[in-house]
């Protein structure tokens, strides 16, 4: 599955930091900006005629499923790489080949797996240190319009780790010819040391019609990715 490299995500964690912001407060803005402005409401039939398929965002049960996978593999098990791997094997996930891992993580070391459900084909990756990261991604027609399950899970992680939320400004950058990524980072700070514990990022990569692979039935094609980068190394 094509994607922006891990290095691109790391370069995106920049800009002014707003102290005291909460994920719940940011969820509405994130949801409103999730759907690309060039999204067609429906796909036209070949040669004209009646529309074939409505372009659908990730929402409802599909959004809950993606958040659940992120919670299960990343929030609950990462940064214990062995625990993530053990769970992936136990759940029967398909391991990525070395070439597939390189296609996603570029020059960064790591491993990954595919998980197919009724909703989507997910890719779960663990990037090795020094940029220790766990991510869950999937392709979609037009992005995601329901991040509440993700917000709830990350807030639960924050509470359990006694972390203080710091919201970094959203970043949009090119990700290839005719492709761009919008990134929404949130930093978990240790309130005692004011050092980062983790960074959580929602990444929306809009292919603007340049994607021809599985997971897109209509619309421009948008990869939705949830990222957890461990900073306690």
């Amino acid at each position: 599955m094509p994607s922006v490299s891990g290095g691109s995500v790391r370069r995106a964690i920049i800009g002014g930091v707003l102290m005291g912001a909460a994920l719940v407060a940011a969820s509405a803005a994130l949801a409103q900006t999730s759907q690309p402005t060039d999204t067609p409401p429906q796909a036209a039939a070949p040669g004209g005629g009646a529309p074939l398929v409505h372009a659908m965002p990730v929402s409802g049960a599909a959004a809950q499923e993606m958040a659940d996978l992120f919670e299960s593999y990343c929030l609950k098990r990462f940064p214990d790489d062995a625990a993530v791997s053990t769970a992936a094997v136990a759940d029967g996930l398909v391991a990525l080949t070395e070439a597939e891992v390189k296609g996603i993580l570029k020059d960064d070391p790591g491993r990954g797996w595919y998980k197919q459900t009724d909703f989507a084909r997910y890719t779960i990756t663990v990037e090795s240190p020094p940029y220790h990261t766990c991510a869950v991604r999937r392709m979609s027609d037009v992005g995601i319009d329901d991040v509440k399950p993700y917000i709830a899970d990350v807030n639960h992680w924050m509470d359990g780790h006694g972390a203080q939320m710091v919201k970094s400004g959203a970043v949009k950058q090119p990700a290839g010819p005719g492709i761009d990524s919008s990134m929404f980072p949130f930093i978990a700070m240790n309130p005692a040391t004011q050092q980062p514990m983790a960074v959580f990022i929602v990444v929306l990569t809009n292919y603007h019609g340049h994607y021809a692979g599985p997971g897109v039935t209509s619309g421009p094609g948008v990869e939705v990715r949830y990222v957890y980068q461990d900073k306690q190394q």
Side-chain angles (χ1 to χ4, degrees):
M1 183 180 297
S3 66
V4 183
S5 69
S8 296
V9 172
R10 293 191 294 276
R11 289 191 294 272
I13 307 173
I14 59 175
V17 173
L18 305 178
M19 297 298 295
L23 270 172
V24 171
S27 63
L30 176 56
Q32 290 171 2
T33 56
S34 295
Q35 193 158 309
T37 56
D38 65 347
T39 299
Q42 50 198 0
L52 291 176
V53 182
H54 286 281
M56 297 295 292
V58 179
S59 60
Q64 183 67 59
E65 178 179 81
M66 184 168 183
D68 288 347
L69 290 174
F70 183 69
E71 179 188 34
S72 177
Y73 292 104
C74 296
L75 295 179
K76 287 185 175 179
R77 292 181 169 89
F78 186 77
D80 186 340
D81 294 2
V84 178
S85 180
T86 297
V89 172
D91 294 343
L93 273 59
V94 178
L96 272 63
T97 66
E98 185 176 339
E100 288 171 329
V101 171
K102 186 174 180 60
I104 295 171
L105 300 181
K106 308 308 179 188
D107 294 328
D108 300 326
R111 67 190 78 173
W113 303 265
Y114 289 125
K115 181 178 178 63
Q116 182 68 53
T117 74
D118 291 340
F119 287 116
R121 186 192 199 198
Y122 298 92
T123 305
I124 299 159
T125 55
V126 173
E127 185 176 342
S128 302
Y131 303 106
H132 202 193
T133 303
C134 181
V136 176
R137 69 195 79 200
R138 59 156 291 179
M139 287 301 300
S140 71
D141 288 347
V142 295
I144 187 167
D145 69 357
D146 184 4
V147 294
K148 291 179 182 177
Y150 165 84
I151 297 295
D153 289 342
V154 172
N155 267 329
H156 183 72
W157 186 98
M158 293 283 174
D159 291 342
H161 289 77
Q164 178 186 39
M165 173 57 60
V166 176
K167 187 181 75 171
S168 182
V171 176
K172 185 174 182 179
Q173 67 178 29
I179 304 169
D180 57 65
S181 287
S182 297
M183 309 184 194
F184 304 84
F186 302 90
I187 304 171
M189 300 290 288
N190 183 322
T193 64
Q194 285 301 299
Q195 295 298 311
M197 302 167 65
V199 179
F200 298 96
I201 316 169
V202 178
V203 185
L204 304 172
T205 300
N206 190 341
Y207 284 83
H208 296 283
H210 298 289
Y211 176 83
V216 177
T217 58
S218 181
V222 178
E223 183 194 78
V224 181
R225 186 186 344 167
Y226 292 160
V227 178
Y228 167 11
Q229 185 178 89
D230 177 42
K231 305 299 289 186
Q232 302 183 96
Q233 302 173 32

